[in-house]
């Protein structure tokens, strides 16, 4: 299986507007892999990444009684904890991974726990975006909420700069493209959603079946604008105790970070992208970088100049190995248009996709 090298740019070049149109085409265009890696990110990023991805293992190893405290069935399990609710290619459910979904409306207004309902998009009709966050109690996962908020804010800050570079290209290449449209969309959106993922160690019976292309996450496209990704953190949960330590009555400010493996014991585990010829290629994100993938809303907004990318995640065929990562889906407000010709809003566009992907 092939390994592909993604396009890499520096945060400084994004800030100064020094990203060429050729670079953007190479990263996001019709012949691209649909991924851009940003290096030289803020100094606090590695610490936040290690802390947050450690929480993913702590969360995944909580009890069912704990999960009930921050599970929201009415929101179609797209707020709070979710396990076994996403449909895989064989029609089964994703029993090998657990997810925590957080609305990132706090980026726009720290007092918000979700986007605000409107006359067109009501809480009753659209709970997956409009239901408030379901946070784990602080005594269950001490310090979790501020860490994920800090990390998501840093990633969205970077996404705004990537969006600005995309706008410069689109304003020149697409007739009638509204000035700074994507940057305004990413910066002002209260529907951006984060997904903290804990891919459980694969059970022996699953490993015995043999390797499948997407045994942890079915091949799919994201439906937002830009998806911010951290590199994955691999943990040997046979050697590292991922249960929340007993801290008695004194609740700590943070839980300790967990030991991270240098890499996956299975070199083929991780993110795979289908290139434009339909061939799967592996893409590795450096630990100190943030990657951005294209989504279907971006493809529509740019009238196909930038293409959404199909991708999947492969399991680690190694006993006891868990994989943790964070995805931040920057996406328009529900009433923002994603198809500027047909005047289709993001809410209308997303509704059909969510119905298709959930069990």
């Amino acid at each position: 299986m092939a390994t592909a090298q993604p396009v890499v740019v520096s945060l400084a070049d994004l800030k100064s507007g020094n990203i060429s149109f050729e670079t953007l085409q190479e990263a996001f265009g019709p012949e691209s892999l649909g991924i851009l890696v940003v290096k030289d990110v803020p100094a606090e990023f590695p610490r936040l990444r290690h802390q947050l991805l450690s929480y993913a293992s702590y969360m995944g190893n909580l009890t069912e009684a704990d999960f009930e405290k921050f599970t929201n069935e009415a929101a179609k399990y797209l707020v709070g904890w979710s396990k076994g609710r996403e449909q895989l290619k064989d029609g089964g459910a994703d029993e090998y991974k657990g997810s925590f979904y957080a609305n990132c409306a706090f980026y726009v207004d720290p007092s918000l726990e979700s986007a605000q309902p409107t006359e067109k998009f009501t809480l009753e009709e659209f709970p997956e975006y409009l239901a408030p966050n379901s946070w784990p109690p602080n005594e269950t996962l001490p310090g979790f909420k501020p860490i994920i908020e800090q990390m998501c804010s840093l990633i969205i800050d970077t996404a705004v700069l990537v969006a600005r570079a995309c706008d410069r290209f689109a304003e020149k290449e697409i007739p009638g493209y509204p000035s700074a449209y994507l940057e305004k969309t990413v910066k002002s959106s209260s529907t951006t959603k984060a997904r903290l993922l804990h891919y459980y160690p694969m059970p022996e019976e699953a490993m015995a079946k043999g390797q499948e292309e997407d045994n942890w996450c079915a091949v799919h496209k994201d439906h937002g604008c830009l998806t911010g990704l951290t590199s994955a953190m691999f943990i040997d949960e046979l050697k590292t105790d991922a249960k929340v330590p007993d801290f008695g009555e004194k609740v700590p400010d943070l839980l300790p970070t967990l030991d991270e493996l240098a890499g996956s014991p299975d070199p083929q585990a991780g993110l795979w992208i289908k290139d434009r010829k339909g061939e799967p290629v592996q893409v590795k994100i450096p630990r100190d970088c943030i990657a951005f993938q294209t989504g279907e809303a971006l493809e529509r907004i740019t009238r196909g100049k930038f293409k959404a990318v199909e991708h999947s995640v492969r399991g680690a065929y190694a006993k006891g190995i868990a994989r943790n990562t964070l995805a931040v889906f920057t996406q328009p407000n529900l009433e923002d248009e994603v198809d500027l010709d047909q005047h289709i809003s993001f809410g209308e566009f997303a509704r059909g996709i969510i119905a298709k992907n959930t069990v």
Side-chain angles (χ1 to χ4, degrees):
M1 292 291 185
T3 300
Q5 297 301 318
V7 176
V8 181
V9 300
S10 72
L11 184 65
D13 282 343
L14 283 171
K15 287 180 175 178
S16 65
N18 192 29
I19 306 296
S20 70
F21 291 173
E22 291 76 19
T23 297
L24 285 173
Q25 281 279 68
E26 188 182 347
F28 294 153
E31 301 303 316
S32 73
L33 289 173
I35 189 167
L36 178 75
V37 171
V38 181
K39 65 178 182 178
D40 303 329
V41 295
E44 65 270 25
F45 175 79
R47 171 184 59 82
L48 289 171
R49 173 192 166 278
H50 194 182
Q51 288 174 327
L52 181 59
L53 299 189
S54 294
Y55 275 107
S57 272
Y58 284 128
M59 183 179 289
N61 284 280
L62 294 174
T63 66
E64 290 299 323
D66 287 325
F67 291 141
E68 286 297 318
K69 297 172 186 175
F70 55 102
T71 296
N72 190 335
E73 181 180 359
K76 304 177 184 176
Y77 302 98
L78 290 171
V79 174
W81 176 252
S82 173
K83 182 172 181 280
R85 302 295 169 183
E86 184 179 350
Q87 199 165 48
L88 300 176
K89 70 176 180 181
D90 62 1
D94 63 341
E95 294 293 346
Y96 297 156
K97 73 173 178 286
S99 300
F100 177 81
Y101 289 95
N103 300 316
C104 297
F106 55 79
Y107 184 80
V108 177
D109 181 344
S111 70
L112 292 178
E113 292 291 344
S114 69
Q116 297 296 290
T118 65
E119 188 175 326
K120 187 173 183 180
F121 297 105
T122 65
L123 174 59
E124 292 72 26
E125 291 183 320
F126 228 104
E128 52 268 63
Y129 282 111
L130 299 176
N133 281 319
S134 296
W135 295 107
N138 192 57
E139 61 270 19
T140 302
L141 283 179
F144 170 71
K145 182 172 181 280
I147 292 295
I148 192 171
E149 288 184 339
Q150 289 173 55
M151 175 58 105
C152 290
S153 295
L154 189 156
I155 290 175
I156 298 169
D157 282 344
T158 311
V160 168
L161 298 174
V162 176
R164 183 181 300 167
C166 292
D167 280 331
R168 286 179 52 246
F169 174 88
E171 286 164 19
K172 183 174 181 183
E173 299 293 328
I174 301 172
Y177 184 87
S179 177
Y181 188 79
L182 188 60
E183 179 182 355
K184 290 174 184 174
T185 296
V186 172
K187 188 184 291 186
S188 66
S189 177
S190 55
T191 61
T192 287
K193 195 176 282 280
R195 185 181 188 182
L196 181 66
L197 293 126
H198 175 66
Y199 295 85
Y200 287 89
M202 200 174 295
E204 290 190 23
E205 59 269 24
M207 288 195 286
K209 287 182 182 178
Q211 300 201 18
E212 294 182 25
E213 182 178 317
D214 54 356
N215 49 33
W216 270 345
C217 178
V219 175
H220 67 286
K221 296 178 182 178
D222 295 339
H223 64 267
C225 295
L226 293 162
T227 301
L229 297 169
T230 66
S231 64
M233 175 184 190
F234 291 92
I235 297 176
D236 185 342
E237 292 194 356
L238 294 178
K239 295 181 179 178
T240 298
D241 186 357
K243 288 192 165 41
V244 176
D246 182 6
F247 43 76
E249 295 182 4
K250 184 173 173 56
V251 179
D253 292 333
L254 289 169
L255 294 179
T257 54
L258 299 175
D259 290 340
E260 178 175 6
L261 297 176
S264 171
D266 177 358
Q268 295 205 15
L271 176 65
W272 289 77
I273 292 175
K274 282 199 172 182
D275 68 18
R276 300 310 183 188
K277 296 176 183 176
E279 295 297 321
V281 294
Q282 188 180 33
V283 174
K284 296 186 177 182
I285 305 167
R287 201 174 283 189
D288 57 353
C289 296
I290 304 170
F292 290 93
Q293 284 185 293
T294 46
E296 291 182 280
L298 179 65
E299 181 172 330
R300 287 200 172 218
I301 288 169
T302 61
R303 297 189 177 101
K305 294 290 187 182
F306 296 146
K307 291 288 190 180
V309 59
E310 283 193 320
H311 56 282
S312 65
V313 173
R314 285 195 185 177
Y317 284 81
K319 193 173 180 180
I321 304 302
R323 178 183 185 272
N324 300 332
T325 191
L326 174 72
V328 179
F329 306 98
T330 68
Q331 42 205 20
N333 286 309
L334 295 177
E335 296 195 345
D336 288 347
E337 289 188 352
V338 294
D339 192 314
L340 304 179
D341 296 321
Q342 299 182 49
H343 304 292
I344 297 172
S345 72
F346 178 69
E348 293 164 335
F349 174 64
R351 182 179 278 133
I353 292 174
I354 291 168
K356 182 176 68 175
N357 289 345
T358 51
V359 177

